[in-house]
Amino acid sequence: MTSVLPEQSTVRESFESLNPATDEVVGTHPVHSREDVEAAVSKAHEAAVWWEALGYAGRAERLRRWKGVLTRRLAQLAEVVRAETGKPTGDAQLEAVLAIEHIDWAARNARKVLGRKHRAPGLLLSNNDATVEYQPYGVVGVIGPWNYPVYTPLGSVTYALAAGNAVVFKPSEYTPGVGQWLVDTFAEVVPEYPVLQQVTGFGTTGDALVRSEVNKIAFTGSTATGKKIMAAASERLTPVVIEAGGKDPMLVDADADLDAAADATVWGAFSNAGQTCIGVERVYVHERVHDEFVAKVLDKTKDIRGGADSRAQYGPMTMRSQIEVVRSHITDALARGGRALAGGLEAVGDRCVQPTVLVDVPEESSAVREETFGPTVTIAKVRDMEEAIAKANDTVYGLGSTVFSHSRGTEIARRLRTGATAINAPLAFAGIASLPFGGVGDSGFGRIHGPEGLREFARPKAIARQRFPAPLALTSFTRSDKTEQLVSKAMAILHGRK
Ligand code: NAD
């Protein structure tokens, strides 16, 4: 295993990552101190100079090789993910596959998106050659969650690397082994400098990274932590991108394909035990098709089961404490008059929560307003899509959303206050590498993925080069009255017309 610790490190503490299905110890990792983090960031600054100098083609070649390693060892990676998260290996493979697509896209498109481009200089300064290029920040600190420990942090790591930055990555304390696996495989294709390093530990290690001399922080995790990170980053005016929580709605119109919508609901709500930032947590269905839709969802739910065995469609809750949040949301929903048509309080076990479908849940319930992050879904009847849009948008969050409608999909999608919307299929935007990903409101700001994701990790650098002296000297004390009169006349012709 490649050591990511600075030589002068003084690690005293360590922690264990556990298999959530068995509590078996998967690995032991250091709790990196503030000094360790600062030393890692200092090394990263040296590495960043070398990495940037490789240029787009050199970096793309290394990223291409990394992608090859990940692809050839997909089964091994899926096993590492399964051990720390408890998710089925098929789901672990799926998130890795999507991450590989992103590495490929970012590597192939970085020059096109970030490279030097000419801009029109305008009439007054037409003697200039105007260009803009996107230069790397230097060192990016990436702080990740545990729910998709490959796909989610690599959405920042990959784009930051492709843009020419070195990265210091702090994975979730639940999935440090996955992070180490990614860093080690990267070091196989980039052995020269520690361009991608990992620091491990809890919130204090993450906080040390935010307060260190990184040039940008990319955070993915809960809204509450995102707020703390933004406050800490403000001390050094370090820019941040915040990818936080969600309460994603699905809207089902009267003309929707109800089988497809029910299938997407069941997948969107229950896969990965509902521990998906863009998981479907609430559904608004047109009254004309509501009952039929609910019947279809219940029918499909019968075949879904969470468990630690290989036949279960999803695994245990990765973070045990989330079980209490799920239980409290179901309790609140039932106490306010909601009904569990599948699952319910008895579905909440010690490690696993079975699929729970709630109806008649008042909009002010925690199950409708707060992120549940468990395999539960609320389904509500609406008069029409106007009511559905209003209810979908009545939230502090705004990450993803889904619309099922034959005739009005795009129109409805455009009116949803979320960073992305999938129409007639679940979560599709997350798998399309060219599309930006990110939120609105309490779901955060900034974008990963696509051209916007590359630009998130680079600073625009504007250059104006004078090609020949201006016929009218505007920015000189030699400027004459005649020049000023000419400028005034020219402006009247150009912009002064009524
Ligand atoms: P979390 O906020 O508890 O932790 C995320 C990371 O932040 C961890 O690595 C943690 O150690 C670190 N951290 C905690 N306190 C910190 C501090 N004060 N300073 C710096 N770092 C600190 O979130 P989680 O439980 O790991 O992940 C689940 C959450 O992530 C959910 O809310 C989910 O919606 C969200 N999420 C969002 C996206 C997205 O793209 N928007 C993707 C996946 C998950």
Side-chain angles (χ1 to χ4, degrees):
M1 199 178 254
T2 314
S3 171
V4 295
L5 278 183
E7 289 100 33
Q8 68 273 37
S9 167
T10 52
V11 173
R12 287 172 210 94
E13 282 181 68
S14 63
F15 69 102
E16 290 171 339
S17 77
L18 305 177
N19 181 327
T22 59
D23 284 347
E24 174 197 338
V25 176
V26 179
T28 304
H29 299 266
V31 177
H32 284 131
S33 66
R34 198 163 290 278
E35 292 73 36
D36 297 329
V37 171
E38 281 165 8
V41 171
S42 161
K43 279 187 157 194
H45 276 287
E46 283 173 40
V49 174
W50 175 82
W51 181 243
E52 185 186 358
L54 273 190
Y56 290 111
R59 291 193 295 272
E61 171 57 16
R62 302 303 181 101
L63 289 168
R64 194 190 61 70
R65 279 159 57 186
W66 190 33
K67 169 190 86 168
V69 174
L70 263 56
T71 308
R72 291 191 295 278
R73 292 188 212 155
L74 201 53
Q76 189 190 30
L77 175 56
E79 192 47 41
V80 176
V81 172
R82 190 201 58 77
E84 285 193 324
T85 62
K87 70 175 73 176
T89 40
D91 284 356
Q93 173 172 301
L94 179 61
E95 70 159 300
V97 162
L98 295 181
I100 289 165
E101 287 280 314
H102 278 288
I103 297 175
D104 179 61
W105 194 92
R108 280 192 294 108
N109 288 280
R111 184 200 296 273
K112 193 165 80 193
V113 174
L114 304 174
R116 204 154 158 246
K117 288 188 189 66
H118 286 270
R119 296 273 171 96
L123 198 64
L124 283 181
L125 290 159
S126 56
N127 60 324
N128 277 267
D129 180 27
T131 59
V132 65
E133 64 189 285
Y134 284 77
Q135 299 179 342
Y137 276 98
V139 178
V140 175
V142 173
I143 299 176
W146 45 265
N147 60 338
Y148 289 89
V150 178
Y151 171 79
T152 292
L154 287 195
S156 297
V157 169
T158 301
Y159 286 79
L161 290 171
N165 303 279
V167 171
V168 179
F169 171 40
K170 151 73 180 81
S172 165
E173 49 273 40
Y174 289 87
T175 53
V178 177
Q180 192 62 57
W181 193 95
L182 295 170
V183 168
D184 288 345
T185 50
F186 186 81
E188 286 179 31
V189 301
V190 183
E192 295 91 338
Y193 281 87
V195 172
L196 173 61
Q197 298 176 79
Q198 167 159 293
V199 290
T200 48
F202 302 89
T204 44
T205 305
D207 181 68
L209 185 59
V210 177
R211 292 175 198 272
S212 73
E213 293 197 354
V214 291
N215 305 107
K216 178 135 189 174
I217 283 287
F219 168 75
T220 308
S222 64
T223 303
T225 307
K227 289 178 184 175
K228 286 186 202 161
I229 283 178
M230 204 171 159
S234 72
E235 281 176 19
R236 292 170 43 86
L237 218 59
T238 304
V240 292
V241 43
I242 304 281
E243 300 283 351
K247 188 71 189 172
D248 285 7
M250 179 189 285
L251 285 69
V252 182
D253 203 355
D255 65 352
D257 176 340
L258 296 186
D259 282 310
D263 198 62
T265 300
V266 170
W267 167 264
F270 307 143
S271 63
N272 205 35
Q275 305 165 116
T276 304
C277 54
I278 48 169
V280 175
E281 297 219 356
R282 41 194 187 117
V283 184
Y284 297 103
V285 191
H286 196 291
E287 61 184 7
R288 286 218 301 272
V289 295
H290 173 269
D291 294 355
E292 193 186 344
F293 171 79
V294 170
K296 285 180 189 291
V297 168
L298 292 176
D299 189 47
K300 290 180 193 295
T301 300
K302 280 203 313 269
D303 303 329
I304 313 297
R305 183 177 57 83
D309 58 288
S310 60
R311 286 189 315 281
Q313 285 90 347
Y314 63 81
M317 301 298 282
T318 306
M319 191 169 71
R320 199 70 62 81
S321 59
Q322 196 65 24
I323 291 180
E324 282 319 307
V325 176
V326 177
R327 194 195 311 275
S328 77
H329 286 191
I330 297 175
T331 305
D332 180 59
L334 300 179
R336 290 171 188 264
R339 291 180 297 135
L341 300 184
L345 277 175
E346 60 280 13
V348 184
D350 289 343
R351 291 178 199 273
C352 282
V353 179
Q354 298 307 325
T356 292
V357 177
L358 298 163
V359 295
D360 299 336
V361 183
E363 287 293 298
E364 60 278 13
S365 311
S366 53
V368 177
R369 304 217 76 81
E370 294 168 22
E371 186 177 48
T372 308
F373 227 51
T376 70
V377 66
T378 63
I379 303 179
K381 191 189 285 187
V382 289
R383 261 186 337 273
D384 52 24
M385 285 299 103
E386 288 305 311
E387 185 184 345
I389 293 167
K391 288 189 164 159
N393 286 340
D394 182 18
T395 172
V396 292
Y397 293 111
L399 193 55
S401 48
T402 312
V403 176
F404 274 83
S405 172
H406 181 66
S407 56
R408 296 178 59 200
T410 305
E411 177 207 328
I412 296 167
R414 293 186 65 215
R415 292 174 59 195
L416 292 174
R417 185 183 157 276
T418 61
T421 303
I423 302 173
N424 296 340
L427 319 181
F429 52 80
I432 299 174
S434 58
L435 282 180
F437 184 94
V440 175
D442 275 16
S443 293
F445 56 85
R447 294 293 181 264
I448 55 172
H449 302 170
E452 292 78 6
L454 284 167
R455 287 191 202 107
E456 190 71 50
F457 296 105
R459 299 185 179 100
K461 170 76 183 180
I463 298 179
R465 182 180 62 83
Q466 181 167 287
R467 291 183 296 138
F468 53 84
L472 302 177
L474 296 176
T475 52
S476 164
F477 289 118
T478 62
R479 190 174 63 208
S480 64
D481 290 349
K482 197 171 157 221
T483 298
E484 285 174 8
Q485 282 159 14
L486 269 169
V487 169
S488 167
K489 275 188 192 146
M491 291 310 281
I493 293 165
L494 284 173
H495 303 293
R497 265 175 283 163
K498 283 196 180 142

